[in-house]
Amino acid sequence: QSVLTQPPSVSGAPGQRVTISCTGGSSNIGAGYDVHWYQQLPGTAPKLLIFGNINRPSGVPDRFSGSKSGTSASLAITGLQAEDEADYYCQSYDNSLSGWMFGGGTKLTVL
Amino acid sequence: EAQLVESGGGLVQSGGSLRLSCAASGFTFSSYWMSWVRQAPGKGLEWVANIKQDGSDKYYVDSVKGRFTISRDNAKNSLYLQMNSLRAEDTAVYYCARRVVGATKGGYFDYWGQGTLVTVSS
């Protein structure tokens, strides 16, 4: 059981907007540690999607955006495309466990 | 662009040992923290270990402390993970990842290798 909680699955139709939540606590997100998001397409390695809560690496479309508030963070994907179908993971640091933690992952299905 | 290529995975019996390697290219290897992250079959990501640029600081997830050792050779642009006393629950794809610190609080992993599969049979 991860200290960062994500919904196991979300879905949306092409063109729609979906959000994926990442809920932590006072020893990780609530302690001010930044949240980062990764996209893992089927059968491939994870890829950095959002870093520092809101920043997109070069090459990541602006359809992807991140936010953080209190002990939670969210990833929003607008204009859903079939190629967005993947697993998404949030990540932060936990000072109670002294480790770099990932959420359990959310499987996005594009209907 | 940065590239990371892992090798050394395979099938090993419970209690056995294995050494993973990660060859880095396309960036100044000695300037970055490096990490290992694993993913059990059908499961999520789990951070395993970090090592500082000069190898002087190392951190491990509790479940591998005392059994796994992370190391690096900056002259060879290579990262290693020595895994001893392997258990069935260590079965996973092991990814080498470059860790970025300083720009954010806590750090993140900006480049990942393709992974190498370690299977521990009981």
Side-chain angles (χ1 to χ4, degrees), chain A residues 31-34 36 38 40 44-46 48 51-52 89 91 93 98-100 102 104, chain B residues 37 39 43-47 50 59 95 99 104-110 112-114:
Chain A
Y33 292 102
D34 291 316
H36 321 288
Y38 303 86
Q40 187 175 33
T44 69
L48 179 66
F51 66 95
Y89 295 90
Q91 177 252 311
Y93 179 79
S98 298
W100 289 263
F102 289 91
Chain B
V37 177
Q39 185 171 35
K43 303 296 184 182
L45 301 171
E46 179 184 38
W47 165 75
N50 287 346
Y59 300 92
Y95 294 102
R99 182 169 165 246
T104 68
K105 185 175 180 183
Y108 58 94
F109 310 100
D110 66 341
W112 299 64
Q114 85 289 349

Side-chain angles (χ1 to χ4, degrees), chain B residues 31-54:
Chain B
S31 296
Y32 287 87
W33 281 79
M34 295 297 296
S35 303
W36 289 98
V37 177
R38 68 184 177 183
Q39 185 171 35
K43 303 296 184 182
L45 301 171
E46 179 184 38
W47 165 75
V48 174
N50 287 346
I51 186 168
K52 195 176 180 180
Q53 290 92 327
D54 62 359

Side-chain angles (χ1 to χ4, degrees), chain A residues 78-95:
Chain A
T78 58
L80 263 183
Q81 299 180 4
E83 67 208 49
D84 298 333
E85 195 160 280
D87 293 324
Y88 292 84
Y89 295 90
C90 62
Q91 177 252 311
S92 187
Y93 179 79
D94 189 284
N95 61 24

Side-chain angles (χ1 to χ4, degrees), chain A residues 4-27:
Chain A
L4 302 178
T5 302
Q6 298 180 234
S9 63
V10 298
S11 63
Q16 284 191 332
R17 177 182 187 270
V18 296
T19 60
I20 299 172
S21 61
C22 176
T23 303
S26 59
S27 59

